[in-house]
Amino acid sequence: MVRQCSRTRCNERAVVTMTYDYGEATAVVGPLSPVAQKGALDLCEEHAQSVTVPRGWSMVRLVTEYEPAPPSDNDLMALADAIKEASKRRAPEPKPAKREVRRQSDVPGQVGPSLRIVPNPGGNNE
């Protein structure tokens, strides 16, 4: 499972993970973490090179050469666990279909078919 860049509208492959330490006012750009971490940003090469920090913060770059990380055993195990978990869930019971037959006479404002007497051309019109 390939992780994508966390930046909005970027579909590139993530190559680094950026973490923050608010207490130290420091951001760290390091190797891509084995699994996605809450509060961390996975960045592609372009965004890893262009990312900035707020004024007064320090930026520590532990990575200077960016290579896409191959899928790790952790990624494969997480995928396998997700599939196992999904297979244990019961599918919802199907609901019977609601069929509604509508005839022209059932539609408000529509006049139904009219009946009239047609004369018999061969004779007796009783």
Side-chain angles (χ1 to χ4, degrees), residues 9-23:
R9 288 185 245 152
C10 182
N11 295 319
E12 295 298 317
R13 177 183 227 164
V15 294
V16 297
T17 297
M18 183 167 141
T19 56
Y20 300 92
D21 183 343
Y22 287 98

Side-chain angles (χ1 to χ4, degrees), residues 82-122:
I83 291 170
K84 270 189 221 174
E85 200 58 38
S87 69
K88 291 178 185 176
R89 291 188 215 136
R90 287 191 60 164
E93 292 295 321
K95 295 179 183 176
K98 292 183 181 179
R99 293 191 155 201
E100 195 173 308
V101 177
R102 297 206 79 147
R103 297 179 298 267
Q104 187 176 17
S105 61
D106 292 341
V107 178
Q110 296 282 333
V111 177
S114 60
L115 301 175
R116 57 188 157 124
I117 298 176
V118 178
N120 184 354

Side-chain angles (χ1 to χ4, degrees), residues 44-103:
C44 66
E45 183 174 354
E46 179 183 346
H47 287 119
Q49 291 175 348
S50 64
V51 70
T52 60
V53 293
R55 190 172 286 149
W57 279 53
S58 300
M59 168 75 78
V60 177
R61 292 182 185 271
L62 302 176
V63 176
T64 56
E65 293 182 19
Y66 306 103
E67 294 180 20
S72 69
D73 289 342
N74 291 341
D75 291 338
L76 296 175
M77 290 307 294
L79 180 59
D81 290 341
I83 291 170
K84 270 189 221 174
E85 200 58 38
S87 69
K88 291 178 185 176
R89 291 188 215 136
R90 287 191 60 164
E93 292 295 321
K95 295 179 183 176
K98 292 183 181 179
R99 293 191 155 201
E100 195 173 308
V101 177
R102 297 206 79 147
R103 297 179 298 267

Side-chain angles (χ1 to χ4, degrees), residues 2-7 10-14 42-44:
V2 176
R3 296 204 322 255
Q4 292 183 330
C5 183
S6 299
R7 298 297 293 261
C10 182
N11 295 319
E12 295 298 317
R13 177 183 227 164
D42 294 333
L43 301 173
C44 66

